[in-house]
Amino acid sequence: MPTNEKRTIVVTGGSRGIGKSICTAFAAPDTVVYFNYASSHSAAAETEQLVRDAGGQAVGICADIASETAVTDFFLKIVSETGRVDVLVNNAGITRDGLLVRTKTSDWDAVMDVNLKGMFLCTRAVSKTMIKQHSGRIINISSVVGVTGNAGQSSYAASKSGMIGFTKSIARELASRNITVNAVAPGYIVTDMTEALSEKVRESMLQQIPLGRLGQPEDITAAVLFLASRQAGYITGQVFHVSGGMYM
């Protein structure tokens, strides 16, 4: 990468939770962070401000990553402004939890569209740029339930398991172009969703975690930063489990 160019980071689902933490962690004077968000302009503005406060530059773009046209436009804008993409973090994801017999086809489709199709569209789009650069890092945020399964989360678990298979396949395809592709599989992380759970449910979750605590978004961010770093240049096709020992 030429020394006069800023490092370009792209994070999907960057306005909340783990995505917001990832965007903020990448903040640096020589870095510009682009992220997409689904609807909340105020949440996106907050992420932008946090990155600026940390000494970086951030650009939030409202874009539906399940839409091929939207994804194409998203990356065209980024590459036209920066000329490159150094890191893609496929973080955006949704859940539509429920027992299989009560799962609507529309809910299943929604989860697959965002979690799997969105990752596919973004990775395909960014791969062309990274291949030309002969360098890049792609990091997919999967989940512990992608390897363990979880009752009531069949669609989410299937999508996160699919991310792992995709990661390993694309890692093989892009390795010769000096592009690494890895996944991070979080366990139970403190987010708005887990904060809203009852004490009984939280206690049940904690009993499944050998380290005895919920993870913090920063725990996931640390793994992402490492995989995006120069020091991780010889690591590809791997799944980093950050789950407090839920999966060993």
Side-chain angles (χ1 to χ4, degrees), residues 129-147:
T129 299
M130 289 184 173
I131 286 171
K132 290 178 182 178
Q133 297 168 183
H134 206 75
S135 66
R137 300 279 194 268
I138 298 171
I139 302 161
N140 301 320
I141 307 301
S142 181
S143 170
V144 66
V145 304
V147 292

Side-chain angles (χ1 to χ4, degrees), residues 7-41:
R7 193 176 187 220
T8 301
I9 313 297
V10 180
V11 180
T12 67
S15 64
R16 300 178 185 277
I18 292 172
K20 177 188 288 187
S21 179
I22 292 170
C23 288
T24 306
F26 273 113
D30 62 348
T31 297
V32 56
V33 179
Y34 286 82
F35 65 92
N36 89 295
Y37 62 98
S39 59
S40 177
H41 301 300

Side-chain angles (χ1 to χ4, degrees), residues 62-80:
C62 187
D64 177 9
I65 63 165
S67 163
E68 184 171 358
T69 299
V71 168
T72 298
D73 292 344
F74 180 59
F75 283 98
L76 280 175
K77 174 178 174 60
I78 294 168
V79 175
S80 70

Side-chain angles (χ1 to χ4, degrees), residues 127-194:
S127 293
K128 298 171 185 177
T129 299
M130 289 184 173
I131 286 171
K132 290 178 182 178
Q133 297 168 183
H134 206 75
S135 66
R137 300 279 194 268
I138 298 171
I139 302 161
N140 301 320
I141 307 301
S142 181
S143 170
V144 66
V145 304
V147 292
T148 65
N150 195 30
Q153 286 193 308
S154 59
S155 59
Y156 185 72
S159 71
K160 293 301 184 177
S161 180
M163 291 181 81
I164 292 173
F166 181 87
T167 296
K168 292 178 178 292
S169 298
I170 304 307
R172 292 181 181 277
E173 289 187 22
L174 298 180
S176 64
R177 303 305 182 98
N178 195 34
I179 301 166
T180 65
V181 188
N182 293 287
V184 176
Y188 291 138
I189 307 299
V190 175
T191 62
D192 291 343
M193 181 181 68
T194 55

